[in-house]
């Protein structure tokens, strides 16, 4: 039976006994009967108060358990009128206990993960107070304790400046001297809120080994390309020079050469001259690539530049029967960049796409300009033969080319120019399906 029924039943009993008492007092001159009825009424009232207070005590105990997070107390079943209520209390406590155990388990999991994570994690609030410093961060920064973010100045002044300049989502690389050792750090920043309080989370990685490995690989590839190009020029020069010397030693004099031999010598000297000039051109190209161009930064609409370049290539596109599709940005595409260098990069990428599509049926060149938040993305896509998977990691290596007449400088120089603008040049390709070059730049508006 429910709590409500027992309260109503006790109240009705009190009312009934009270009515009987009133009738006895009015109609009879009895002494002991009214006294007994008064005792019975008092007992019923006391029982009602005890019953209600006991329920209140159980409720208070339940709320106290919830407040203090102590879910070991349980309420006994089998008590008249309170079975249902006690069962509800016990069910709620059991559910709270289960949630609490899950939360504790989750916390222990995150704590274990944090302590064993190989990446340094550092979190601080809007006042600069550091709330999280995992063991990897302590080991990397050589500090067992950090209480405030300004203490990074004692480790490396440039590190503190970079951290304070980071916006949410930014990722920067910094050379820092920690414990008298020069290391390169990759620092990523993320802002988040907890209970209307803003926190900054820093993810710091020592990328020395990775960069050194990549640097060695880049040098190996570059030396391989340089060796290949130089040997292509030096080998015929050395071979023809040796043959020329042997023939001259044999004949002793130019007067002893036949007309055919004279012609062979002339052709050999022309070949030597041509290969020597080619080698000098290659060396000059390397010198030009190694030198950073001066940037003349202005603000302009990338959309207007693209439309002008498309008009420039219109005759080539029509003669090669290439369909052009241009998707402009829905918002302003204003950037701050060197107009001439940016034009050079885009022209080079479009020219490469046209060359890849010359022998293609139903050739399509797509140019897409998209603005998202603070970034402008330009995609140049062709449905040509694509790039072989073996060549994907080599397309940006200086002087590497698969073209017979190519110098191998175009794409590497294009990426270099984009990097000078704090942007990125990416490539994605599936053989016999498509090739997509993507330029990512920071938008002004």
């Amino acid at each position: 039976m429910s709590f409500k029924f027992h309260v109503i039943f006790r109240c009705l009993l009190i009312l009934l006994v009270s009515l009987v008492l009133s009738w006895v007092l009015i109609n009879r001159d009895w002494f002991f009967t009214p006294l007994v009825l008064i005792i019975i009424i008092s007992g019923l009232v006391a029982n009602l108060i005890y019953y209600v207070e006991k329920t209140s005590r159980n409720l208070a105990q339940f709320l106290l358990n919830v407040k203090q997070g102590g879910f070991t107390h349980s309420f006994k079943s089998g008590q008249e009128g309170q079975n249902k209520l006690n069962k509800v209390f016990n069910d709620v406590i059991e559910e709270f206990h289960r949630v609490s155990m899950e939360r504790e388990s989750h916390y222990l999991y995150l704590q274990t993960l944090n302590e064993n994570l190989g990446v340094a994690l550092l979190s601080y609030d809007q006042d600069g107070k550091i709330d999280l410093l995992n063991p990897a961060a302590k080991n990397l920064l050589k500090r067992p304790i950090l209480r405030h973010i300004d203490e990074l100045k004692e480790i490396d002044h440039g590190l503190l400046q970079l951290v304070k300049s980071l916006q949410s989502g930014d990722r920067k690389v910094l050379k820092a001297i920690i414990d008298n050792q020069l290391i390169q750090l990759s620092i990523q920043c993320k802002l988040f809120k907890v209970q209307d309080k803003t926190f900054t989370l820093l993810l710091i990685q020592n990328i020395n080994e990775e960069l050194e490995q990549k640097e060695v690989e880049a040098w190996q590839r570059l030396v391989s390309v340089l060796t290949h190009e130089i040997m292509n020029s030096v080998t015929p020069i050395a071979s023809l020079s040796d043959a020329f010397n042997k023939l001259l030693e044999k004949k002793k004099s130019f007067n002893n050469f036949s007309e055919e031999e004279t012609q062979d010598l002339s052709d050999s000297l022309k070949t030597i001259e041509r290969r020597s000039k080619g080698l000098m051109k290659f060396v000059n190209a390397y010198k030009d690539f190694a030198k950073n161009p001066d940037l003349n930064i202005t603000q302009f609409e990338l959309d207007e530049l693209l439309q002008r370049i498309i008009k420039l290539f219109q005759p080539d596109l029509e003669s090669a029967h290439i369909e052009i599709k241009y998707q402009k940005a829905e918002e302003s595409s204003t950037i701050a960049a060197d107009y001439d260098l940016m034009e050079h990069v885009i022209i080079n990428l479009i020219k490469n796409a046209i060359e890849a599509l010359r022998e293609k049926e139903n050739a399509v060149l797509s140019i897409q300009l998209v603005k998202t938040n603070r970034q402008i993305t330009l995609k140049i896509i062709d449905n040509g033969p694509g790039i072989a998977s073996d060549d994907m990691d080599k397309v940006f290596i200086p002087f590497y080319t698969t073209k017979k007449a190519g110098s191998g400088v175009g794409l590497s120089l294009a990426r270099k120019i984009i990097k000078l603008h704090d942007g990125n040049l990416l490539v994605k390709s599936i053989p016999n399906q498509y090739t997509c070059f993507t330029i990512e730049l920071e938008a002004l508006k």
Side-chain angles (χ1 to χ4, degrees), residues 209-219:
E209 292 184 5
E210 289 81 358
L211 287 179
E212 288 173 0
Q213 180 64 27
K214 290 294 182 183
E215 186 178 2
V216 170
E217 291 176 1
W219 276 112

Side-chain angles (χ1 to χ4, degrees), residues 61-75 89-104:
Q61 181 66 43
F62 168 75
L63 295 176
L64 185 63
N65 286 341
V66 173
K67 178 181 178 182
Q68 296 178 346
F71 304 115
T72 56
H73 182 81
S74 62
F75 296 88
F89 284 162
N90 288 330
D91 289 344
V92 172
I93 286 178
E94 185 179 347
E95 182 63 21
F96 269 108
H97 182 64
R98 185 187 65 79
V99 171
S100 177
M101 290 296 293
E102 286 184 358
R103 186 176 60 184
E104 184 70 19

Side-chain angles (χ1 to χ4, degrees), residues 33 62 89 140 151 207 227 243 246 295 314 331 378 407 426:
T33 300
F62 168 75
F89 284 162
L140 178 63
E151 293 180 26
I207 56 174
T227 303
K246 288 180 178 179
L295 299 181
Q314 199 65 46
E331 302 178 43
L378 170 62
S407 65
L426 309 170

Side-chain angles (χ1 to χ4, degrees), residues 20-48:
V20 172
L21 175 63
S22 300
W23 182 83
V24 170
L25 291 174
I26 294 172
N27 297 292
R28 295 285 187 271
D29 294 329
W30 297 343
F31 177 76
F32 289 104
T33 300
L35 182 61
V36 170
L37 291 174
I38 291 172
I39 293 172
I40 292 173
I41 291 173
S42 300
L44 290 173
V45 171
N47 180 266
L48 176 62

Side-chain angles (χ1 to χ4, degrees), residues 301-304 306 326-335 366-371 376-380 439 441:
E301 285 283 338
L302 189 56
D303 171 60
E304 295 178 2
L306 284 168
Y326 175 51
Q327 175 186 322
K328 65 180 294 184
E330 296 179 357
E331 302 178 43
S332 170
S333 58
T334 305
I335 61 173
S366 298
I367 300 175
Q368 301 172 2
L369 188 60
V370 180
K371 180 183 179 184
I376 287 183
T377 302
L378 170 62
K379 293 186 176 183
I380 299 174
I439 297 176
L441 296 168

Side-chain angles (χ1 to χ4, degrees), residues 87-258:
K87 184 177 183 304
V88 171
F89 284 162
N90 288 330
D91 289 344
V92 172
I93 286 178
E94 185 179 347
E95 182 63 21
F96 269 108
H97 182 64
R98 185 187 65 79
V99 171
S100 177
M101 290 296 293
E102 286 184 358
R103 186 176 60 184
E104 184 70 19
S105 248
H106 188 60
Y107 173 76
L108 290 174
Y109 169 76
L110 291 178
Q111 189 177 37
T112 304
L113 184 64
N114 176 52
E115 291 177 354
N116 293 278
L117 196 64
V119 178
L121 295 177
L122 187 152
S123 174
Y124 61 95
D125 61 19
Q126 52 202 8
D127 297 323
K129 180 184 175 183
I130 294 177
D131 296 294
L132 170 67
L133 188 71
N134 72 339
K138 295 176 182 178
N139 183 56
L140 178 63
L141 300 175
K142 308 301 181 186
R143 286 294 183 91
I145 298 175
L146 279 177
R147 296 183 177 85
H148 197 277
I149 194 65
D150 288 341
E151 293 180 26
L152 290 178
K153 184 178 180 180
E154 301 172 6
I155 300 173
D156 186 272
H157 185 70
L159 177 60
L160 177 61
Q161 287 184 325
L162 179 65
V163 165
K164 288 194 171 182
S165 69
L166 288 174
Q167 301 293 324
S168 183
D170 286 352
R171 183 175 182 176
K172 296 289 180 67
V173 175
L174 170 73
K175 289 183 178 179
I177 298 177
I178 299 178
D179 197 23
N180 297 321
Q181 182 181 1
L182 178 64
I183 59 175
Q184 298 199 62
L185 302 176
S186 171
I187 305 175
Q188 191 169 355
C189 173
K190 184 67 177 179
L191 267 62
F192 62 96
K193 282 189 174 182
V194 177
Q195 296 180 346
D196 296 328
K197 196 173 181 180
T198 303
F199 291 86
T200 302
L201 178 66
L202 298 179
L203 187 150
I204 309 174
Q205 291 177 282
N206 183 354
I207 56 174
N208 258 11
E209 292 184 5
E210 289 81 358
L211 287 179
E212 288 173 0
Q213 180 64 27
K214 290 294 182 183
E215 186 178 2
V216 170
E217 291 176 1
W219 276 112
Q220 288 174 341
R221 291 174 180 172
L222 182 58
V223 168
S224 176
V225 172
L226 291 174
T227 303
H228 175 74
E229 188 66 29
I230 292 172
M231 289 301 294
N232 282 347
S233 295
V234 171
T235 300
I237 291 174
S239 177
L240 290 172
S241 298
D242 183 61
F244 182 82
N245 286 330
K246 288 180 178 179
L247 185 59
L248 187 60
E249 289 176 1
K250 182 179 179 181
K251 296 294 183 179
K252 302 296 183 184
S253 173
F254 286 104
N255 295 328
N256 298 328
F257 285 114
S258 64

